[in-house]
Amino acid sequence: MTWYCDVAPGHPLHGPYHDTEYGFPVTDETVLFERLCLEIFQAGLSWVLVLKKRPALNAAFAGFVVDRVAAFDEADRARLLADAGIIRNRRKIDAVIRNAATVQALRASHGGLANWIMAHHPRDLDAWVVLFRATFAFTGREVVNEFLMSIGVLPGAHGPACPVSARLATLDDPWSGRPEPAPAP
């Protein structure tokens, strides 16, 4: 089996992502949304391409701030499709905008995206895929798997011999807790 750990060390883009982000538990809404969107943009492409385009994607998608992206309109779609600095796939762009509105709805139903994930945790990958496909756009098996591994929900982000594995074992796991109650309407 080839691990991401085998290709990342020393690479100018893979290395920092592998060493400081991939597999680290995160519950911040903007970070979660960005990570989901990056996985969507990666579908069918290489991860290094996404990492290269990450700064341009962040600029084009308003830092992946959910409320800003959910407000994107047809003019924004046209702007994004004309932006050579990003991955210009209409289906992926539409999915990101639609998914921002979905995250907004999860605030009302669950108190946010992190709480929605916690409310359904734990489950196996197949059950996660069914749930994501019923909730979000453009979330196939690989997108869901990589997203959940990247945020520390599913195991397997790092091989047992990877030094990052040892670091991750010392961190608190926010996904093992119970969801906070949703805010009152």
Side-chain angles (χ1 to χ4, degrees):
M1 171 177 213
T2 301
W3 295 90
Y4 189 46
C5 312
D6 298 333
V7 297
H11 189 279
L13 295 171
H14 287 302
Y17 179 75
H18 167 271
D19 294 349
T20 64
E21 293 182 74
Y22 190 60
F24 286 78
V26 59
T27 58
D28 177 82
E29 179 179 83
T30 302
V31 176
L32 290 171
F33 185 61
E34 180 209 22
R35 203 72 62 81
L36 178 61
C37 295
L38 293 178
E39 294 298 345
I40 288 168
F41 281 115
Q42 188 273 330
L45 303 172
S46 73
W47 186 242
V48 75
L49 175 66
V50 173
L51 292 175
K52 285 179 184 175
K53 293 190 175 274
R54 189 179 191 184
L57 287 163
N58 266 278
F61 284 91
F64 291 103
V65 174
V66 169
D67 293 331
R68 292 182 67 192
V69 175
F72 281 9
D73 58 16
E74 287 307 314
D76 291 300
R77 280 181 175 83
R79 171 184 58 81
L80 293 165
L81 288 168
D83 186 342
I86 69 167
I87 296 163
R88 296 180 291 177
N89 177 299
R90 181 180 301 278
R91 288 182 58 228
K92 292 177 182 183
I93 290 168
D94 288 345
V96 166
I97 296 167
R98 178 177 155 206
N99 289 343
T102 299
V103 172
Q104 286 179 318
L106 293 177
R107 290 178 191 154
S109 65
H110 289 80
L113 179 55
N115 283 342
W116 178 81
I117 293 169
M118 282 184 211
H120 296 286
H121 183 60
R123 58 180 54 211
D124 67 17
L125 177 58
D126 290 335
W128 279 117
V129 171
V130 169
L131 179 65
F132 268 79
R133 282 185 173 164
T135 309
F136 292 99
F138 215 102
T139 51
R141 183 178 186 83
E142 193 61 22
V143 168
V144 173
N145 184 51
E146 284 299 325
F147 169 66
L148 293 173
M149 279 200 308
S150 81
I151 64 168
V153 171
L154 289 179
H158 298 274
C162 177
V164 177
S165 259
R167 282 198 357 243
L168 287 172
T170 67
L171 299 178
D172 289 335
D173 180 8
W175 302 117
S176 62
R178 300 296 316 153
E180 297 174 17

CSV table of all heavy atoms in Angstrom, one decimal, residues 51-71:
chain,number,residue,atom,x,y,z
A,51,LEU,N,-3.4,21.8,-4.7
A,51,LEU,CA,-2.6,22.5,-3.8
A,51,LEU,C,-2.0,23.7,-4.5
A,51,LEU,O,-1.8,24.8,-3.9
A,51,LEU,CB,-1.5,21.6,-3.2
A,51,LEU,CG,-2.0,20.5,-2.2
A,51,LEU,CD1,-0.9,19.6,-1.8
A,51,LEU,CD2,-2.7,21.2,-1.0
A,52,LYS,N,-1.6,23.6,-5.8
A,52,LYS,CA,-1.0,24.7,-6.5
A,52,LYS,C,-2.1,25.8,-6.7
A,52,LYS,O,-1.8,27.0,-6.7
A,52,LYS,CB,-0.6,24.2,-7.9
A,52,LYS,CG,0.7,23.5,-7.9
A,52,LYS,CD,1.1,23.0,-9.3
A,52,LYS,CE,2.3,22.2,-9.3
A,52,LYS,NZ,2.7,21.7,-10.7
A,53,LYS,N,-3.3,25.4,-6.9
A,53,LYS,CA,-4.4,26.4,-7.2
A,53,LYS,C,-5.1,26.8,-5.9
A,53,LYS,O,-6.0,27.7,-6.0
A,53,LYS,CB,-5.4,25.8,-8.2
A,53,LYS,CG,-4.8,25.6,-9.6
A,53,LYS,CD,-5.8,25.3,-10.6
A,53,LYS,CE,-5.2,25.2,-12.0
A,53,LYS,NZ,-5.1,26.5,-12.7
A,54,ARG,N,-4.7,26.3,-4.8
A,54,ARG,CA,-5.4,26.6,-3.5
A,54,ARG,C,-5.4,28.1,-3.2
A,54,ARG,O,-6.5,28.6,-2.9
A,54,ARG,CB,-4.7,25.9,-2.4
A,54,ARG,CG,-5.5,25.9,-1.1
A,54,ARG,CD,-4.7,25.1,0.0
A,54,ARG,NE,-5.5,25.0,1.2
A,54,ARG,CZ,-5.1,24.4,2.3
A,54,ARG,NH1,-3.9,23.9,2.3
A,54,ARG,NH2,-5.9,24.3,3.3
A,55,PRO,N,-4.3,28.9,-3.4
A,55,PRO,CA,-4.5,30.3,-3.1
A,55,PRO,C,-5.5,31.0,-4.0
A,55,PRO,O,-6.2,31.8,-3.6
A,55,PRO,CB,-3.0,30.8,-3.3
A,55,PRO,CG,-2.1,29.6,-3.1
A,55,PRO,CD,-3.0,28.5,-3.6
A,56,ALA,N,-5.4,30.7,-5.3
A,56,ALA,CA,-6.4,31.3,-6.3
A,56,ALA,C,-7.8,30.8,-6.0
A,56,ALA,O,-8.8,31.7,-6.1
A,56,ALA,CB,-6.0,30.9,-7.7
A,57,LEU,N,-8.0,29.6,-5.6
A,57,LEU,CA,-9.4,29.1,-5.2
A,57,LEU,C,-9.9,29.9,-4.0
A,57,LEU,O,-11.0,30.3,-3.9
A,57,LEU,CB,-9.4,27.6,-4.9
A,57,LEU,CG,-9.2,26.7,-6.2
A,57,LEU,CD1,-8.9,25.3,-5.8
A,57,LEU,CD2,-10.6,26.7,-6.9
A,58,ASN,N,-9.0,30.1,-3.0
A,58,ASN,CA,-9.4,30.8,-1.8
A,58,ASN,C,-9.8,32.3,-2.2
A,58,ASN,O,-10.8,32.8,-1.6
A,58,ASN,CB,-8.3,30.8,-0.7
A,58,ASN,CG,-8.5,29.7,0.2
A,58,ASN,OD1,-9.2,29.8,1.2
A,58,ASN,ND2,-7.8,28.6,0.0
A,59,ALA,N,-9.0,32.9,-3.0
A,59,ALA,CA,-9.3,34.3,-3.4
A,59,ALA,C,-10.6,34.3,-4.2
A,59,ALA,O,-11.5,35.2,-4.0
A,59,ALA,CB,-8.2,34.8,-4.3
A,60,ALA,N,-10.8,33.4,-5.1
A,60,ALA,CA,-12.0,33.4,-6.0
A,60,ALA,C,-13.3,33.0,-5.2
A,60,ALA,O,-14.3,33.5,-5.5
A,60,ALA,CB,-11.8,32.4,-7.1
A,61,PHE,N,-13.1,32.2,-4.2
A,61,PHE,CA,-14.3,31.8,-3.4
A,61,PHE,C,-14.4,32.5,-2.0
A,61,PHE,O,-14.8,31.9,-1.0
A,61,PHE,CB,-14.3,30.3,-3.2
A,61,PHE,CG,-14.7,29.6,-4.5
A,61,PHE,CD1,-13.8,29.2,-5.4
A,61,PHE,CD2,-16.1,29.3,-4.8
A,61,PHE,CE1,-14.2,28.5,-6.6
A,61,PHE,CE2,-16.5,28.7,-5.9
A,61,PHE,CZ,-15.5,28.3,-6.8
A,62,ALA,N,-13.9,33.7,-2.0
A,62,ALA,CA,-14.1,34.6,-0.8
A,62,ALA,C,-13.6,33.9,0.5
A,62,ALA,O,-14.2,34.0,1.5
A,62,ALA,CB,-15.5,35.0,-0.6
A,63,GLY,N,-12.4,33.2,0.4
A,63,GLY,CA,-11.8,32.6,1.6
A,63,GLY,C,-12.7,31.4,2.0
A,63,GLY,O,-12.5,30.9,3.2
A,64,PHE,N,-13.6,30.9,1.2
A,64,PHE,CA,-14.5,29.8,1.6
A,64,PHE,C,-15.3,30.2,2.8
A,64,PHE,O,-15.8,29.3,3.5
A,64,PHE,CB,-13.8,28.5,1.7
A,64,PHE,CG,-13.2,28.0,0.4
A,64,PHE,CD1,-11.9,28.1,0.1
A,64,PHE,CD2,-14.1,27.4,-0.5
A,64,PHE,CE1,-11.4,27.6,-1.2
A,64,PHE,CE2,-13.7,27.0,-1.8
A,64,PHE,CZ,-12.3,27.1,-2.1
A,65,VAL,N,-15.6,31.4,3.0
A,65,VAL,CA,-16.6,31.9,4.0
A,65,VAL,C,-18.0,31.5,3.5
A,65,VAL,O,-18.4,32.0,2.5
A,65,VAL,CB,-16.4,33.4,4.3
A,65,VAL,CG1,-17.5,33.8,5.3
A,65,VAL,CG2,-15.0,33.7,4.8
A,66,VAL,N,-18.6,30.6,4.3
A,66,VAL,CA,-19.9,30.0,3.8
A,66,VAL,C,-20.9,31.0,3.4
A,66,VAL,O,-21.5,30.9,2.3
A,66,VAL,CB,-20.4,29.1,4.9
A,66,VAL,CG1,-21.8,28.6,4.6
A,66,VAL,CG2,-19.5,27.9,5.1
A,67,ASP,N,-21.1,32.0,4.2
A,67,ASP,CA,-22.2,33.0,3.9
A,67,ASP,C,-21.9,33.8,2.6
A,67,ASP,O,-22.8,34.1,1.8
A,67,ASP,CB,-22.4,33.9,5.1
A,67,ASP,CG,-23.0,33.2,6.3
A,67,ASP,OD1,-23.7,32.2,6.1
A,67,ASP,OD2,-22.8,33.7,7.4
A,68,ARG,N,-20.6,34.1,2.4
A,68,ARG,CA,-20.3,34.8,1.2
A,68,ARG,C,-20.4,33.9,0.0
A,68,ARG,O,-21.0,34.4,-1.1
A,68,ARG,CB,-18.8,35.3,1.3
A,68,ARG,CG,-18.7,36.4,2.4
A,68,ARG,CD,-17.3,37.0,2.5
A,68,ARG,NE,-17.0,37.7,1.3
A,68,ARG,CZ,-15.8,38.2,1.0
A,68,ARG,NH1,-14.8,37.9,1.9
A,68,ARG,NH2,-15.5,38.8,-0.1
A,69,VAL,N,-20.0,32.7,0.0
A,69,VAL,CA,-20.1,31.8,-1.1
A,69,VAL,C,-21.6,31.5,-1.4
A,69,VAL,O,-22.0,31.4,-2.6
A,69,VAL,CB,-19.3,30.5,-0.9
A,69,VAL,CG1,-19.5,29.5,-2.1
A,69,VAL,CG2,-17.8,30.8,-0.7
A,70,ALA,N,-22.4,31.3,-0.4
A,70,ALA,CA,-23.8,31.0,-0.6
A,70,ALA,C,-24.6,32.2,-1.3
A,70,ALA,O,-25.6,31.9,-1.9
A,70,ALA,CB,-24.5,30.7,0.8
A,71,ALA,N,-24.0,33.4,-1.2
A,71,ALA,CA,-24.6,34.5,-1.8
A,71,ALA,C,-24.2,34.7,-3.3
A,71,ALA,O,-24.6,35.6,-3.9
A,71,ALA,CB,-24.3,35.8,-1.0
